[in-house]
Amino acid sequence: MNCKINGENVKVEPHISNVYELLAAYGMENKILVVEKNGTILEKEDHINENIQDGDTFEIVSFVGGG
Amino acid sequence: MLKIGSYSFQSRLLLGTGKFPNYEIQKRAVEASETEILTFAVRRMNIFDQAQPDLLEELNVKNYTLLPNTAGAKTAEEAVRIAKLAKASGLCDMVKVEVIGCDKTLLPDPVETLKASEELLKEGFTVLPYTSDDVVLARKLEELGVHAIMPAAAPIGSGQGIINELNLSFIIEQANVPVIVDAGIGTASHAARAMELGADGVLLNTAVSGANDPVLMAEAMRDSIIAGHKAFRAGRIPAKRYATASSPKEGMTVS
């Protein structure tokens, strides 16, 4: 599958079927973060039910230092 | 006690988390400041670097109220989106509305700030807009229902202190919500001065993170804000042009 994550084209393994698995593939499933899929912000508890399809666009954001 | 919306705080210092030399110094500076509110920015994660340290874990954020900013937004729409992303973390419902209208001065766009604040209030956020020291804009923001007003002392990161004390004092006098002086503070006397003028709190970042000794400056800011607030409550004497003796004029041993 080809997806866009944070502006970059990324090949996602076909066995990854939901957002939780996508995060786990990058070792981020337990990090404090927020996922937006195709412009819709996801609640954390919905990650496991949110399917991934070819062409999906994701924004994965977190908190960084700022004033 | 500083009350912002449904929140109450002992500390009147709000501390930013940007540009510290390293996490260890940041952690010690945050502790030394005795702040209860930390500001953050929302940014894309580097998903290809799993080893990157997590700022929130480093700081044990459960001990603090988080105030994410919408820095990077140039329109109300962008600010609202960033605020919603921050809230979806489940860690906060406060937001510092920051919509920059000028790249050189980093001064806020008043029109977009007003629009973003209105939208975020409808969405149920606790809204703290970063504004210029415009007195009428501050009033209009309050009329919308914002939970605090955060006028800049001077341009962000400039360290110039309070440029327009008159405007700031007008904003403070008219406000029925907390006024938190945000941005432009350079040293402890600036923060103390803001509090002496009657501000309810001070939000600063670079003044601490960029100091030669950020931990010591964090302590200085903590103390100056407490001192300035006490002086405001105590009520200062009027300034006079000429001297007034403090020792009695009677009973002098010389004639």
Side-chain angles (χ1 to χ4, degrees), chain A residues 5-8 10 25-28 30-34 36 41-43 59-67, chain B residues 16-18 39-45 47-48 50 52 55-56 68-69 81 84-86 88-89 91 96 205:
Chain A
I5 304 178
N6 289 352
E8 292 193 39
V10 176
Y26 290 102
M28 298 194 301
N30 293 320
K31 295 218 174 196
I32 297 168
L33 50 77
V34 177
E36 188 187 67
I41 297 168
L42 306 179
E43 297 295 326
E59 286 286 334
I60 304 176
V61 302
S62 187
F63 294 111
V64 300
Chain B
T17 56
T39 64
F40 293 91
V42 177
R43 290 291 180 273
R44 284 174 167 171
M45 283 185 93
I47 58 167
F48 304 107
Q50 295 175 20
Q52 63 184 327
L55 175 61
L56 298 191
N69 65 35
R81 177 174 173 240
K84 285 180 176 174
L85 283 166
S89 69
L91 296 173
K96 168 178 162 174
N205 184 341

Side-chain angles (χ1 to χ4, degrees), chain B residues 2-219:
Chain B
L2 172 61
K3 290 188 175 173
I4 304 173
S6 58
Y7 298 86
S8 296
F9 305 98
Q10 295 293 331
S11 167
R12 292 175 180 273
L13 169 58
L14 292 74
L15 191 63
T17 56
K19 299 191 291 184
F20 277 85
N22 57 56
Y23 281 128
E24 180 54 31
I25 288 176
Q26 177 168 42
K27 202 171 159 182
R28 285 172 47 216
V30 168
E31 283 167 8
S33 76
E34 295 180 16
T35 186
E36 293 165 73
I37 306 174
L38 293 174
T39 64
F40 293 91
V42 177
R43 290 291 180 273
R44 284 174 167 171
M45 283 185 93
N46 183 356
I47 58 167
F48 304 107
D49 179 11
Q50 295 175 20
Q52 63 184 327
D54 188 323
L55 175 61
L56 298 191
E57 282 167 18
E58 297 286 332
L59 285 173
N60 196 12
V61 291
K62 297 231 167 0
N63 297 336
Y64 302 96
T65 297
L66 305 191
L67 178 59
N69 65 35
T70 63
K74 291 191 170 177
T75 65
E77 195 182 344
E78 289 169 0
V80 169
R81 177 174 173 240
I82 294 170
K84 285 180 176 174
L85 283 166
K87 194 178 183 183
S89 69
L91 296 173
C92 48
D93 76 346
M94 267 191 178
V95 63
K96 168 178 162 174
V97 177
E98 179 175 350
V99 189
I100 298 301
C102 172
D103 289 337
K104 193 169 183 180
T105 61
L106 296 181
L107 286 168
D109 182 323
V111 178
E112 296 299 312
T113 299
L114 204 67
K115 274 197 231 168
S117 297
E118 187 169 23
E119 182 63 28
L120 290 167
L121 286 164
K122 280 186 204 155
E123 297 276 347
F125 283 80
T126 301
V127 178
L128 294 78
Y130 161 66
T131 79
S132 64
D133 55 16
D134 188 296
V135 182
V136 178
L137 177 63
R139 196 193 70 222
K140 290 193 172 186
L141 284 163
E142 183 171 341
E143 285 167 0
L144 282 181
V146 300
H147 300 88
I149 293 161
M150 303 212 292
I156 294 171
S158 70
Q160 294 186 53
I162 302 164
I163 299 293
N164 191 337
E165 287 198 1
L166 190 67
N167 270 24
L168 183 59
S169 62
F170 287 157
I171 290 172
I172 290 167
E173 280 165 30
Q174 77 179 3
N176 296 302
V177 293
V179 176
I180 295 162
V181 173
D182 176 7
I185 298 295
T187 187
S189 57
H190 299 160
R193 183 69 186 137
M195 298 307 291
E196 284 173 351
L197 289 171
D200 297 284
V202 175
L203 196 168
L204 53 89
N205 184 341
T206 312
V208 166
S209 66
N212 286 337
D213 185 339
V215 181
L216 193 56
M217 187 58 89
E219 277 181 35

Side-chain angles (χ1 to χ4, degrees), chain A residues 2-5 7 10 12 14-16 18 24 26 28 30 42-43 47 51 54 56-59 61-62 65:
Chain A
N2 292 305
C3 293
K4 193 168 251 188
I5 304 178
V10 176
V12 177
H15 65 85
I16 293 173
N18 62 51
Y26 290 102
M28 298 194 301
N30 293 320
L42 306 179
E43 297 295 326
H47 288 177
N51 293 333
D54 191 52
D56 280 344
T57 299
F58 295 94
E59 286 286 334
V61 302
S62 187

